[in-house]
Amino acid sequence: MENVKNESTNQKALSQSESGGLLDKWFKLSAHGTTVKTELVAGLTTFITMAYIIFVNPNIMAASGMDAGAVFVATCIGAAVATLFMGLYANWPVGLAPGMGLNAFFAFTVVGEMGYSWEIALGAVFWSGVIFTAMSFWKIREWVLDSIPESLRYAMTAGVGLFLGLIGLKTAGIVVESPATLVTLGDFTKPSALLAAVCFLIISILVHRKVFGAVLIGVLSVTLIGLFMGIVEFNGIFAMPPSIEPTFLKLDIMGALDIGMITVILAFLFVNMFDTAGTLMGVAERANLRRPDGSIEGLKKSLKADSASSVIGTFVGCPPVTSYVESAAGVAAGGRTGLTAITVALLFLLSMFLAPLAGMIPPYATAGALIFVAFAMMSSLAKIEWDDFTEMAPAAVTALMMPLTFSIANGIAMGFVTYTVLKMATGHPRDVSLSVYALSAIFIAKFVFM
């Protein structure tokens, strides 16, 4: 009997060894100084820090007329497929999901202000993803990234943050319309404004105390408060996923080729490209993926995986899918390989059964998260050369015009034109790259003829 028991134990150990050996061989765990357990814990950590997107994205995209239930499933599937691709192809510990900022631009500007249908807006996301993917296979991507001034890159991130902040404040009722002053302070006696502010404060305090999952905790906390106050209806937590049919393969690729969509496609492209590059470089540093010669292991593959994900996401109904900076939390927990990303992907798939919970999340909870993300993105302003007016002014124009014109595309366009004109007029035309000259000409034509 004891021999049988020992044999069973040995077989179990052998099976675990072979399983670990297969994972080690595929993901190069030993070479990266990590283990299966560490990678699984890191994946869980990354997922918890970015899981808020499955609740926030449907609320935002529903403003464009898309079915919230279908968008919820699309968010889970788009994030899972993209993250799975990143893990298996690039072997990077990075989670991907629909990008904050660009989803708001999609819903509130392209559809809400410009009047395009959400199907055409998805088509624009498709084309921006195709261009980004094509650029990732040649050196065009490096050329564009290197030729765009750093001040404008940082300003784009900050501007998207300001844009998100305005949407969050408006949704919460903290900032309201005023005929006399355009905008004014809202009424904090209303639950939506007060609870959105509470959500923002909870998230900020938890982030400062380095509590992972802070955004998710904040969103769920104020939802629970609303439940006790009777302003949120309990619909359950688990259920079969809603149908994805309302958004599946509904993108209008040809409709997005309208000449008026050029700046929209460029806005999706540039914000996604610069955000992705910054996130992946940051994760690479934390994950010790930089080689002795200065190159970064798997960077080209990770960029290809990220760019292709935006194209794939449009088929299910996602705005641009991008790498999440929250992946750094998983790296801090020891994640070093694609096994971390695989774990994140599987958790996103399981999240599809949380549809009733997602449907309970009120707009004020989403607004609190948006305001926090907005302030986090605005930190990039610190990296701008404020002592050089020809760098500072275009950056300020870029950042400020995004919320004030309610358009990321307009902010980028006006920033590029301002940069080109100031550099030429102050005797520094060589500071302007060929690509910036070309883009400025396109933007000027857009302002004059459209």
Side-chain angles (χ1 to χ4, degrees):
M1 187 74 179
E2 186 176 348
N3 290 336
V4 173
K5 184 177 181 180
N6 289 337
E7 184 177 345
S8 175
T9 301
N10 290 336
Q11 286 178 345
K12 184 177 180 181
L14 179 61
S15 175
Q16 290 176 342
S17 175
E18 288 175 349
S19 175
L22 289 172
L23 291 174
D24 184 43
K25 184 177 180 181
W26 183 272
F27 295 106
K28 302 177 183 177
L29 302 179
S30 298
H32 288 91
T34 185
T35 64
V36 173
K37 180 181 177 181
T38 300
E39 294 292 299
L40 295 178
V41 171
L44 176 61
T45 302
T46 295
F47 174 76
I48 291 175
T49 59
M50 61 185 291
Y52 66 89
I53 192 64
I54 65 177
F55 304 116
V56 175
N57 192 54
N59 269 352
I60 293 175
M61 298 297 283
S64 70
M66 299 179 75
D67 182 84
V71 173
F72 168 76
V73 176
T75 301
C76 294
I77 293 176
V81 172
T83 307
L84 193 67
F85 188 23
M86 178 67 77
L88 292 175
Y89 177 66
N91 196 27
W92 270 43
V94 173
L96 295 90
M100 291 288 285
L102 289 180
N103 55 1
F105 176 59
F106 179 109
F108 295 102
T109 301
V110 181
V111 178
E113 292 292 318
M114 299 177 70
Y116 288 101
S117 68
W118 61 262
E119 292 90 346
I120 290 178
L122 278 178
V125 176
F126 170 85
W127 285 118
S128 71
V130 168
I131 296 170
F132 190 12
T133 303
M135 292 170 65
S136 297
F137 281 89
W138 291 286
K139 291 187 176 181
I140 302 175
R141 184 193 68 246
E142 288 89 343
W143 177 67
V144 172
L145 285 173
D146 292 341
S147 61
I148 304 300
E150 284 192 345
S151 58
L152 292 184
R153 292 192 226 173
Y154 296 136
M156 286 182 204
T157 301
V160 171
L162 287 169
F163 179 69
L164 269 182
L166 179 60
I167 291 172
L169 293 168
K170 180 175 177 287
T171 302
I174 296 174
V175 169
V176 295
E177 183 181 358
S178 169
T181 60
L182 193 62
V183 292
T184 188
L185 185 66
D187 184 0
F188 273 99
T189 62
K190 292 183 178 179
S192 61
L194 182 61
L195 289 175
V198 169
C199 181
F200 163 71
L201 292 173
I202 289 174
I203 295 171
S204 300
I205 292 168
L206 293 178
V207 167
H208 180 74
R209 292 182 173 276
K210 296 181 168 47
V211 177
F212 75 93
V215 178
L216 181 62
I217 293 172
V219 168
L220 294 179
S221 295
V222 293
T223 299
L224 190 61
I225 293 173
L227 190 64
F228 285 122
M229 293 175 63
I231 57 177
V232 172
E233 183 180 350
F234 181 75
N235 298 317
I237 297 177
F238 300 103
M240 292 300 293
S243 172
I244 197 176
E245 192 277 333
T247 61
F248 185 64
L249 296 179
K250 293 298 194 294
L251 66 162
D252 186 349
I253 296 175
M254 299 309 295
L257 293 178
D258 180 82
I259 193 168
M261 292 295 282
I262 292 177
T263 55
V264 172
I265 293 172
L266 289 176
F268 281 135
L269 172 65
F270 286 133
V271 174
N272 195 8
M273 183 167 59
F274 295 134
D275 189 37
T276 293
T279 297
L280 293 179
M281 293 291 283
V283 170
E285 291 291 340
R286 291 181 176 92
N288 298 319
L289 294 173
R290 189 177 290 279
R291 298 188 181 101
D293 63 359
S295 63
I296 295 176
E297 179 186 344
L299 179 60
K300 289 184 178 180
K301 283 188 173 183
S302 65
L303 283 166
K304 290 174 184 176
D306 185 291
S307 57
S309 295
S310 283
V311 179
I312 297 169
T314 59
F315 296 126
V316 292
C318 287
V321 175
T322 188
S323 298
Y324 264 56
V325 71
E326 284 85 351
S327 301
V331 171
R336 294 293 181 270
T337 74
L339 185 55
T340 293
I342 303 301
T343 306
V344 175
L346 293 176
L347 290 170
F348 267 118
L349 287 177
L350 291 174
S351 298
M352 288 193 295
F353 297 95
L354 295 173
L357 178 60
M360 286 168 53
I361 304 299
Y364 65 75
T366 301
L370 287 177
I371 296 167
F372 168 76
V373 173
F375 289 160
M377 295 179 74
M378 287 166 58
S379 63
S380 64
L381 287 172
K383 301 175 183 178
I384 294 171
E385 293 182 51
W386 292 101
D387 293 333
D388 185 344
F389 192 81
T390 62
E391 296 287 337
M392 176 270 285
V397 168
T398 301
L400 285 173
M401 295 309 290
M402 286 187 189
L404 293 180
T405 64
F406 216 65
S407 171
I408 293 173
N410 285 340
I412 292 174
M414 297 184 79
F416 270 71
V417 172
T418 304
Y419 184 87
T420 302
V421 171
L422 282 181
K423 288 294 185 181
M424 291 178 66
T426 56
H428 300 92
R430 291 186 179 181
D431 288 350
V432 185
S433 65
L434 181 61
S435 62
V436 173
Y437 276 122
L439 288 169
S440 296
I442 292 172
F443 292 139
I444 290 172
K446 182 254 184 186
F447 288 133
V448 173
F449 300 109
M450 297 182 197

